[in-house]
């Protein structure tokens, strides 16, 4: 309990004036690890939070001229991408260290509440295919969706295919949609996933929902890659 | 638990305070802990542990309230006990012995015939048989006065015993555990033999924690400028000693690192005993020991965890430490400086400034509750004094101490160097003191305001360290407003006070008008020492502390009833320190007496029959009408209304004067009569009482005074008329608090 859950070094939280009577929440990480997550500080692209200027980014413009026009309102994320978070997420989702996800609970809920508290949004995690689920034992997107505090419904299923992370961007944009509907699509949906890289996965999922009656679909992701 | 031990320490503090302050502290503390748990700021284990510690300390503090053992007073007694806390000065010896049940201590004093006089066999840890008579320590009898009885009670001392002659004590034996104290005695003796007086006193104070030989003037100077922490062995000394030892042992390759740790460990365990065992010394020694221990054992705890654990350890050892001023100063300052790591950002110089500012801010409520004033410039003085003593003074004294045993002659020579330097520095302090000592008398700080102050301080520092400048400025403003509010409060208060101070055999009344429209004294007695020479005791120990704790730094005027020391002896000091506008006397007052008074104070003669109109107060002078060429008979007799009641102040006027006044004012009445001449039978004729028909009488007389005041016949005459008597020898100071129409008397002693 005294050591960092991730790096194994002893945690040292030194009280200051501001934490004398009201200490920080208990975290399972040491100060050094906890401060290594690259928090997104700028809004960036108003549509996907890509950190390149404050106008709609070229990626989003490209999507809006494709078949996926207007399927996804916007994406909000918590962190940008660096080596630390890459390794951390790898440990978490590929090597099945479920507890590592827990550290995002507080911040992820706050992110969700800040952007999606005004309407009756449902949280829809991006699913894993059955095979992948078998392999990993848990779905990190569902874990994140648990944190949001919103009602979570699993209306999507996923066909087994190649890992997204092994495909190129062009390939991803043109790929077949692996998602299918399991139940009734909610009117207001926030898709939950761990990472927004090109936005292809999220738009595939959004399109399935949109075609089945969803009015408004946004995405809330941990990382803007 | 890492980084959270301070929560346990705060829980312990709350548990102890709940008993002394209010049970609400306990409720607040438990709510706070519960909130911390619910918001996942502390783990469950810590929550339970803190609760247990809190309740444990609450329990300890209730147990601690046990009443003193009942021992016979005023009859010869024989005691056998081991002795401790032996201390010796040029004129007396003192030590503690245990009461027969071992539940508390007795403070034993022996006044030496001459400097070489001693009690044979007396040594730390010796077992002694003593004969003597027990007495109870004297409690404070005036608001603001130092309470010696309470001070000793906090050390579990309930009785005192004075050894009259050498034959009344016989000691033998010793104990192994007192060897540091034996080294101490030998060390002190060596300093006296080899060094000059000045250096010896400073070595004794700064190395061995024996401060009784320091020059009283210097001690007071250091107190005025918040420098007293330098005179006491504190964390600064321990850190310095440890650093020097560590440096020498490792750099000179005398010991390996591990052995150096072991050596330091042993040194720190023994040194506090050697240095007199003050809790502030234990605080810093234990902290360094704990940090070394953690380092050796590979336990990583933050330094604030260490100080919290030391806090807990010391309070388990003796919960009374919490009320020890040195303990409070030591922990508050250290904690504040440790918490401020994020605040220091810049250079060494700015860190020094920040350290100084933070220490001054954090001790402010303690400073005020102890001295009732602030010295706004003391921070600057510290800025100079701390580096001087840290980097030059103390290392020099340490070197002298070592040389004492190796090369006494060199120690002696070096002692003169220290004396030269130190006297120059103290001289400099005195110069600054003369031109730049502007005490800001705040008066007593109510406990609520202190709590508010600390809350504002925490918020101020939080804003500062997180870089929220605007917020910091706001809270900084609150911080300054709090002492200001305490100082300004009397100007908004519609109650006035007349206080008959318990000044021994003499008179001193303080009249504070509502809304602080004026502060006046009617007489201000001086005191005399053993040799019947005048002393400042009455002024320094009674009058000044009273005025300061009321937040008074200016006295508008003094009525000097007549030219006797027991009525005017403190007027000189008052005119020096309280900007007194005038002193009013009778026409027949011997002006010679006023020669030593501050010439800025006007001396005004006042003619009988005249009505004096002051802002918010009128006084009619009834006597003396003619010069009787005897001070007592020439006493001012003053008639006035305060709180809707008529008052008559008689000074030392006698029966003859009473009759003369009755002749001139046949219908005179007084609700409250200040009895003439301390209740002597030469005053207060029954006929006088019949005419005035007072309801209450004030008598200012010394405890067990040699004149037998008040005289039994006067007391009887008052009793016969059912007049309530308030007397300083049994009631202590008596305060009459009044608003425009009415008022009530309250004695200081229960």
């Amino acid at each position: 309990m005294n050591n960092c859950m991730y790096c194994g070094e002893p945690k040292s939280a030194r009280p200051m004036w501001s934490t004398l009577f009201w200490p920080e929440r208990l975290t399972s990480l040491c100060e050094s690890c906890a401060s290594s997550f690259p928090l997104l500080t700028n809004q960036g692209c108003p549509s996907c939070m890509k950190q390149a200027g404050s106008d709609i980014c070229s990626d989003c413009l490209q999507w809006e001229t494709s078949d996926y026009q207007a399927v996804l309102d916007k994406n909000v994320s918590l962190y940008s991408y660096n080596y630390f978070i890459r390794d951390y997420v790898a440990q978490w989702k590929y090597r099945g260290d479920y507890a590592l996800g827990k550290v995002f609970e507080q911040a992820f809920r706050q992110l969700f509440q800040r952007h999606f508290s005004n309407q009756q949004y449902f949280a829809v995690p991006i699913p894993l295919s059955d095979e992948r689920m078998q392999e990993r034992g848990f779905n990190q997107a569902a874990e994140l969706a648990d944190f949001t505090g919103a009602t979570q419904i699993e209306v999507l299923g996923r066909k087994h295919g190649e890992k997204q992370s092994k495909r190129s961007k062009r390939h991803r944009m043109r790929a077949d949609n692996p998602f299918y509907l399991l139940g009734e699509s909610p009117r207001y949906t926030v898709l939950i996933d761990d990472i927004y890289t090109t936005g292809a996965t999220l738009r595939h999922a959004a399109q399935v929902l949109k075609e089945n009656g969803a009015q408004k679909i946004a995405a809330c992701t941990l990382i803007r890659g | 638990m890492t980084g959270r031990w301070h929560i346990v320490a705060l829980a312990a503090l709350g548990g102890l305070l709940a008993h002394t302050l209010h049970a609400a502290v306990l409720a607040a503390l438990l709510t706070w802990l519960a909130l911390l748990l619910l918001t996942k700021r502390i783990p469950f284990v810590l929550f339970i542990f803190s609760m247990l510690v809190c309740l444990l300390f609450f329990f300890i503090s209730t147990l601690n309230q046990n009443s003193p053992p009942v021992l016979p007073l005023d009859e010869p007694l024989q005691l056998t006990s081991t002795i401790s806390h032996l201390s010796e000065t040029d004129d007396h010896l003192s030590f503690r012995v245990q009461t027969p049940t071992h539940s508390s201590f007795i403070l034993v004093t022996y006044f030496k015939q001459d400097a070489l006089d001693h009690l044979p066999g007396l040594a730390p840890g010796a077992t002694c048989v003593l004969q003597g008579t027990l007495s109870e320590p004297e409690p404070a009898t005036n608001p603001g006065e130092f309470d010696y009885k309470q001070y000793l009670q906090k050390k579990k001392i309930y009785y005192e015993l004075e050894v009259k002659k050498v034959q009344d004590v016989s000691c033998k034996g010793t104990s192994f555990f007192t060897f540091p104290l034996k080294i101490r005695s030998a060390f002190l003796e060596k300093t006296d033999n080899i060094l000059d007086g000045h250096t010896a006193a400073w070595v004794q104070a700064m190395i061995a924690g024996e401060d009784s030989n320091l020059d009283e003037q210097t001690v007071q100077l250091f107190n005025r400028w918040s420098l007293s922490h330098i005179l006491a062995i504190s964390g600064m000394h321990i850190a310095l000693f440890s650093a020097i030892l560590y440096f020498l042992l490792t750099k000179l390759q005398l010991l390996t690192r591990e052995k150096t740790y072991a050596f330091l460990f042993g040194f720190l365990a023994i040194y506090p005993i050697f240095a007199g065992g003050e809790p502030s010394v234990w605080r810093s020694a234990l902290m360094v020991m704990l940090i070394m221990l953690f380092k050796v054992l590979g336990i990583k705890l933050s330094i604030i965890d260490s100080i919290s654990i030391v806090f807990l350890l010391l309070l388990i050892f003796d919960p009374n430490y919490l009320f020890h001023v040195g303990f409070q100063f030591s922990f508050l300052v250290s904690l504040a400086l440790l918490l401020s790591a994020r605040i220091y950002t810049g250079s060494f110089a700015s860190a020094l400034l920040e350290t100084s500012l933070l220490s001054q801010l954090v001790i402010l409520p303690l400073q005020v509750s102890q001295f009732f004033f602030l010295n706004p410039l003391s921070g600057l003085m510290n800025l100079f004094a701390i580096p001087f003593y840290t980097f030059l003074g103390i290392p020099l004294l340490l070197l002298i101490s070592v040389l004492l045993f190796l090369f006494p002659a060199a120690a002696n020579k070096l002692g003169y160097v220290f004396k030269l330097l130190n006297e120059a520095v103290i001289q400099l302090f005195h110069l600054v003191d003369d031109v730049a000592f502007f005490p800001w008398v705040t008066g007593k700080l109510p406990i609520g305001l202190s709590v508010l102050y600390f809350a504002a301080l925490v918020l101020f520092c939080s804003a500062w360290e997180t870089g929220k400048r605007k917020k910091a400025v706001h809270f900084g403003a609150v911080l300054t407003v709090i002492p200001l509010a305490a100082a300004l409060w009397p100007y908004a208060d519609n109650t006035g006070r007349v206080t008959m101070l318990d000044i021994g055999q003499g008179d001193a009344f303080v009249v504070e008008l509502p809304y602080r429209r004026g502060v006046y004294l009617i007489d201000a007695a001086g005191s005399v020492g053993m040799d019947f020479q005048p002393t400042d005791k009455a002024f320094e120990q009674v009058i000044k502390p009273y005025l300061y704790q009321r937040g008074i730094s200016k006295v508008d005027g003094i009525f000097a009833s007549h030219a006797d020391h027991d009525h005017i002896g403190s007027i000189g000091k008052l005119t020096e320190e309280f900007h007194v506008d005038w002193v009013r006397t009778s026409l027949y007052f011997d002006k010679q007496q006023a020669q030593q008074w501050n010439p800025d104070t006007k001396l005004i003669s006042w003619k009988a029959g005249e009505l004096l109109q002051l802002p918010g107060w009128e006084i009619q002078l009834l006597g003396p009408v003619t010069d009787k060429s005897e001070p007592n008979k020439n006493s001012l007799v003053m008639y006035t209304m305060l709180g809707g009641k008529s008052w008559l102040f008689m000074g030392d006027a006698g029966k003859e004067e009473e009759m003369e006044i009755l002749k001139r004012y046949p219908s005179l009445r007084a609700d409250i009569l200040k009895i003439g001449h301390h209740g002597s039978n030469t005053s207060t004729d029954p006929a006088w009482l019949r005419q005035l028909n007072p309801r209450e009488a004030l008598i200012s007389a010394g405890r067990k005074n040699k004149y037998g005041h008040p005289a039994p016949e006067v007391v009887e005459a008052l009793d016969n008329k059912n007049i309530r008597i308030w007397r300083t020898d049994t009631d202590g100071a008596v305060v009459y608090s009044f608003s425009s129409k009415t008022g009530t008397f309250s004695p200081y002693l229960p």
Side-chain angles (χ1 to χ4, degrees):
Chain A
M1 199 129 113
N2 272 331
N3 288 13
C4 175
M5 180 172 67
Y6 184 60
C7 70
E9 289 295 311
K11 289 180 283 185
S12 71
R14 188 179 168 164
M16 310 183 294
W17 284 100
S18 44
T19 55
L20 181 64
F21 292 102
W22 202 237
E24 302 272 359
R25 276 168 201 276
L26 290 169
T27 58
S28 24
L29 299 183
C30 67
E31 227 178 320
S32 143
C33 286
S35 62
S36 297
F37 293 114
L39 260 182
L40 282 172
T41 42
N42 302 320
Q43 172 55 47
C45 167
S47 175
C48 72
M49 286 188 91
K50 183 176 176 141
Q51 301 291 295
S54 55
D55 298 330
I56 301 277
C57 68
S58 54
D59 290 359
C60 289
L61 289 175
Q62 205 176 341
W63 278 116
E64 291 310 303
T65 52
S66 72
D67 297 344
Y68 294 95
Q69 187 197 1
V71 295
L72 192 67
D73 272 11
K74 65 165 178 180
N75 164 66
V76 292
S77 304
L78 200 54
Y79 303 114
S80 67
Y81 202 65
N82 66 4
Y83 288 117
F84 179 83
I85 203 164
R86 184 194 69 187
D87 295 346
Y88 190 94
V89 168
Q91 176 85 17
W92 172 37
K93 73 178 193 188
Y94 299 133
R95 266 158 264 149
D97 210 338
Y98 180 82
L100 287 182
K102 198 78 177 150
V103 303
F104 303 120
E105 177 167 11
Q106 184 73 17
F108 197 73
R109 173 181 297 126
Q110 277 168 7
L111 176 79
F112 185 89
Q113 302 285 344
R114 194 160 61 241
H115 292 278
F116 307 109
S117 58
N118 51 349
Q119 267 168 355
Q120 267 298 236
Y121 279 105
F122 286 90
V124 177
I126 297 296
L128 297 177
S129 64
D130 293 342
E131 291 81 352
R132 200 73 76 212
M133 192 68 181
Q134 200 78 44
E135 220 172 279
R136 293 190 194 160
F138 75 102
N139 177 3
Q140 77 284 354
E143 190 184 355
L144 287 171
D146 279 342
F147 298 157
T148 61
T151 314
Q152 185 187 151
I153 43 175
E154 300 196 359
V155 288
L156 291 173
R158 188 176 194 164
K159 290 185 279 241
H160 189 58
E162 208 180 338
K163 275 185 187 169
Q164 278 292 72
S165 53
K166 301 249 162 87
R167 299 179 181 183
S168 74
K169 180 175 168 185
R170 276 169 57 87
H171 195 140
R172 289 191 205 183
M173 282 185 80
R174 285 183 296 133
D176 292 335
N177 194 330
F179 297 106
Y180 55 89
L181 204 66
L182 295 174
E184 200 179 323
S185 171
R187 278 156 65 85
Y188 298 102
T189 300
V190 180
L191 291 166
I192 309 290
D193 205 358
D194 54 342
I195 184 161
Y196 179 112
T197 313
T198 61
T201 308
L202 288 157
R203 280 184 173 78
H204 284 150
Q207 197 174 44
V208 172
L209 295 174
K210 196 99 186 182
E211 284 166 355
N212 290 282
Q215 270 188 6
K216 211 169 156 73
I217 305 163
C220 185
T221 51
L222 192 65
I223 302 159
R224 176 65 179 90
Chain B
M1 298 282 278
T2 314
R4 296 283 192 277
W5 273 94
H6 66 283
I7 288 168
V8 187
L10 286 168
L13 177 68
L16 284 177
L17 287 181
H19 192 254
T20 27
L21 288 182
H22 199 276
V25 175
L26 214 57
L29 192 93
L30 297 185
T31 317
W32 173 64
L33 286 175
L35 277 174
L36 288 181
L37 178 72
L38 286 176
T39 54
K40 298 196 177 117
R41 282 160 213 278
I42 52 171
F44 187 67
V45 190
L46 186 77
F47 173 73
I48 292 294
F49 186 61
S50 303
M51 292 273 259
L52 286 177
V53 166
C54 170
L55 294 177
L56 172 77
F57 275 90
F58 181 68
F59 186 62
I60 290 177
S61 68
T62 50
L63 275 190
N64 202 34
Q65 288 291 309
N66 56 0
S67 45
V70 181
L71 292 174
L73 294 169
D74 303 320
E75 61 180 78
L77 191 80
Q78 181 167 325
L79 282 167
T80 308
S81 161
T82 54
I83 69 159
S84 62
H85 294 82
L86 181 61
S87 155
E88 183 170 3
T89 68
D90 281 347
D91 53 32
H92 74 275
L93 268 169
S94 70
F95 52 89
R96 294 185 203 170
V97 297
Q98 290 186 320
T99 50
T101 53
H102 299 281
S103 58
S104 60
F105 296 97
I106 296 167
L107 182 65
V108 184
T109 316
Y110 171 68
F111 288 96
K112 303 199 287 193
Q113 306 297 315
D114 56 67
L116 295 175
D117 193 9
H118 72 286
L119 298 173
L122 191 69
T127 305
C128 300
V129 183
L130 304 151
Q131 326 254 351
T133 313
L134 292 182
S135 61
E136 283 185 297
E138 286 185 11
T141 58
N142 290 283
E145 192 184 358
F146 175 68
D147 197 328
Y148 187 57
K149 183 173 182 168
Q150 204 178 46
Y151 169 79
L152 290 183
Q153 267 180 15
K154 300 283 184 209
K155 302 181 173 193
K156 287 204 171 148
I157 297 169
Y158 298 100
Y159 295 98
E160 286 185 291
L161 187 151
E162 189 191 325
V163 173
K164 303 276 191 207
K165 38 186 210 299
V166 179
Q167 294 82 351
D168 288 348
V169 183
S170 67
C171 299
K172 63 169 192 287
T174 178
S175 112
F176 170 75
F177 293 103
T178 53
F179 77 93
L181 295 172
K182 295 223 185 60
I183 305 173
R184 178 174 203 247
S185 300
F187 177 78
L188 293 179
E189 207 179 309
K190 239 184 163 60
T191 55
D192 277 331
N193 292 341
I194 294 169
L195 301 172
D196 62 281
H198 178 92
T199 311
W202 277 75
V203 170
Q204 290 168 3
M206 309 262 265
I207 307 291
E210 175 62 69
D211 57 4
S212 45
N213 288 321
L214 283 174
D215 175 38
E216 186 55 31
Q217 286 240 310
T218 310
V219 172
Q220 281 177 10
L221 175 79
F222 275 53
N223 277 341
R224 281 201 292 281
W225 287 89
S226 309
L227 297 171
S228 22
H229 62 97
I230 291 173
L231 296 177
I233 296 172
S234 62
M236 189 170 84
H237 297 62
I238 298 282
L240 200 66
F241 293 170
S242 310
I244 291 175
L245 274 175
Y246 182 82
F247 183 82
L248 287 180
L249 293 174
T250 52
K251 291 291 159 185
L252 299 179
Q253 300 191 333
L254 296 173
L255 292 176
T256 62
R257 199 167 293 255
E258 286 71 27
K259 281 186 180 156
T260 306
Y261 277 139
F263 178 83
L264 269 182
F265 209 85
F267 167 76
L268 289 171
I270 293 167
Y271 180 72
I273 309 174
F274 172 82
E278 285 292 301
S280 58
V281 184
W282 277 115
R283 199 270 305 151
S284 34
L286 283 173
M287 241 181 96
V288 179
M289 285 162 83
L290 213 58
I291 290 168
M292 289 195 306
L293 192 71
F294 288 156
K295 200 164 174 170
V296 170
L297 296 180
I299 299 172
K300 288 211 176 166
L301 278 185
S302 88
I303 193 158
I304 291 178
D305 289 329
S306 310
I307 196 175
S308 306
I309 292 169
V310 170
F311 181 81
L312 290 166
L313 288 176
L314 283 177
L315 286 181
I316 287 173
F317 178 70
D318 185 355
N320 277 322
Y321 276 164
L322 190 60
F323 305 101
H324 189 290
V325 179
F327 179 90
Q328 297 170 346
F329 271 84
S330 175
F331 271 97
L332 266 180
V333 173
S334 321
L335 180 67
L337 298 184
L338 292 175
L339 281 173
S340 304
R342 294 265 171 108
I343 287 180
Y344 319 127
T345 44
S347 60
F348 178 70
S350 68
L352 207 62
L353 257 171
E354 283 150 1
T355 309
S356 174
L357 176 69
L358 281 164
S359 343
Q360 296 296 313
L361 283 177
V362 74
I363 62 169
L364 185 139
L366 294 187
Q367 162 89 13
V368 169
S369 64
Q370 212 190 357
F371 302 113
F372 310 120
F373 73 86
L374 292 172
N375 180 355
L377 298 175
S378 61
L380 296 175
M381 189 79 116
N382 270 284
L383 220 47
F384 168 75
I386 292 176
F388 170 75
Y389 284 105
T390 311
F391 298 116
L392 197 61
I394 301 172
L396 207 53
L397 289 173
L398 194 59
L399 187 60
I400 293 171
S401 309
V402 175
L403 289 177
L404 273 178
F405 294 91
L406 302 176
F407 308 104
N412 175 282
K413 290 281 179 314
L414 207 57
Y416 282 106
V417 176
F418 174 81
K419 183 183 175 191
L420 206 69
L421 274 172
N422 197 39
E423 281 185 340
V425 168
I426 291 173
Q427 196 57 42
L428 188 73
F429 291 166
H430 272 296
L431 281 178
V432 177
D433 186 51
D434 285 341
V435 294
F437 179 58
F438 301 114
W440 179 23
V441 179
T442 53
K444 209 169 169 175
L445 204 60
I447 186 87
L449 275 188
S450 297
V451 172
L452 213 62
Y453 178 89
F454 279 121
L457 182 68
V458 171
L459 291 170
F460 168 72
C461 291
S462 306
W464 188 2
E465 76 185 356
T466 45
K468 292 171 188 148
R469 278 167 183 276
K470 219 168 146 187
K471 246 181 157 177
V473 170
H474 290 317
F475 289 123
V478 175
L479 274 185
T480 35
V481 160
I482 288 170
L484 202 65
L488 291 180
W489 167 247
Y491 293 88
D493 189 0
N494 68 350
T495 42
R497 289 169 162 236
V498 180
T499 306
M500 171 168 68
L501 291 175
D502 174 19
I503 199 123
Q505 184 68 10
D507 273 17
F509 290 79
V510 182
V511 178
E512 299 158 69
L513 299 180
Y515 304 107
R516 186 92 0 132
R517 292 186 71 187
V519 175
Y520 303 93
L521 264 82
I522 301 171
D523 286 338
S527 40
V528 286
M530 298 277 206
D531 49 1
F532 299 103
Q533 288 301 305
T535 66
D536 290 340
K537 202 178 140 203
F539 175 75
E540 295 290 349
Q541 298 184 4
V542 179
I543 299 178
K544 185 173 164 179
Y546 175 78
L547 294 174
Y548 268 23
Q549 69 95 30
R550 295 288 305 149
I552 295 166
S553 55
K554 176 175 171 52
V555 168
D556 295 284
I558 302 175
F559 299 92
S561 71
H562 64 285
D564 277 343
H565 186 70
D566 64 339
H567 290 255
I568 60 165
S570 291
I571 292 183
K573 290 292 279 185
L574 275 161
T575 59
E576 273 169 39
E577 296 191 24
F578 284 88
H579 314 282
V580 182
D581 287 339
W582 47 257
V583 176
R584 214 164 268 267
T585 66
S586 79
L587 293 172
Y588 320 116
F589 185 85
D590 176 14
K591 300 275 190 297
Q592 289 289 105
Q593 301 279 342
Q595 267 182 345
Q596 301 295 316
W597 301 354
N598 187 341
D600 295 340
T601 300
K602 272 186 292 181
L603 202 59
I604 302 174
S605 299
W606 194 13
K607 202 174 140 210
E610 270 183 10
L611 176 72
L612 173 66
Q613 289 179 301
L614 297 166
W617 192 26
E618 292 181 352
I619 315 109
Q620 172 93 39
L621 188 64
L622 308 186
V625 182
T626 54
D627 187 359
K628 302 200 166 171
S629 53
E630 199 184 306
N632 283 356
K633 289 173 184 279
N634 281 344
S635 283
L636 295 175
V637 176
M638 298 158 51
Y639 177 83
T640 187
M641 298 289 290
L642 284 166
K645 298 218 167 82
S646 55
W647 295 64
L648 201 55
F649 288 95
M650 297 301 297
D652 277 359
K655 290 181 176 173
E656 191 184 314
E657 289 74 47
E658 290 167 1
M659 290 310 124
E660 283 169 13
I661 285 165
L662 276 191
K663 240 175 249 162
R664 285 165 62 92
Y665 304 94
S667 58
L668 185 66
R669 291 273 191 282
D671 298 322
I672 295 150
L673 176 65
K674 201 296 285 191
I675 299 293
H677 203 185
H678 322 290
S680 153
N681 57 9
T682 54
S683 303
T684 320
D685 200 289
W688 170 246
L689 289 181
R690 258 199 308 282
Q691 172 56 38
L692 292 180
N693 196 24
R695 261 169 271 156
E696 329 226 11
L698 300 173
I699 300 175
S700 183
R703 224 153 267 117
K704 294 180 186 153
N705 65 75
K706 59 183 172 187
Y707 313 99
H709 293 160
E713 53 264 51
V714 171
V715 175
E716 199 188 317
L718 292 166
D719 282 341
N720 284 342
K721 295 212 72 203
N722 276 329
I723 300 167
R724 176 75 165 93
I725 308 173
W726 301 98
R727 45 194 281 190
T728 55
D729 57 344
T730 55
D731 294 322
V734 177
V735 182
Y736 178 74
S737 319
F738 64 92
S739 57
S740 54
K741 288 200 185 61
T742 179
T744 47
F745 281 97
S746 45
Y748 187 77
L749 294 178

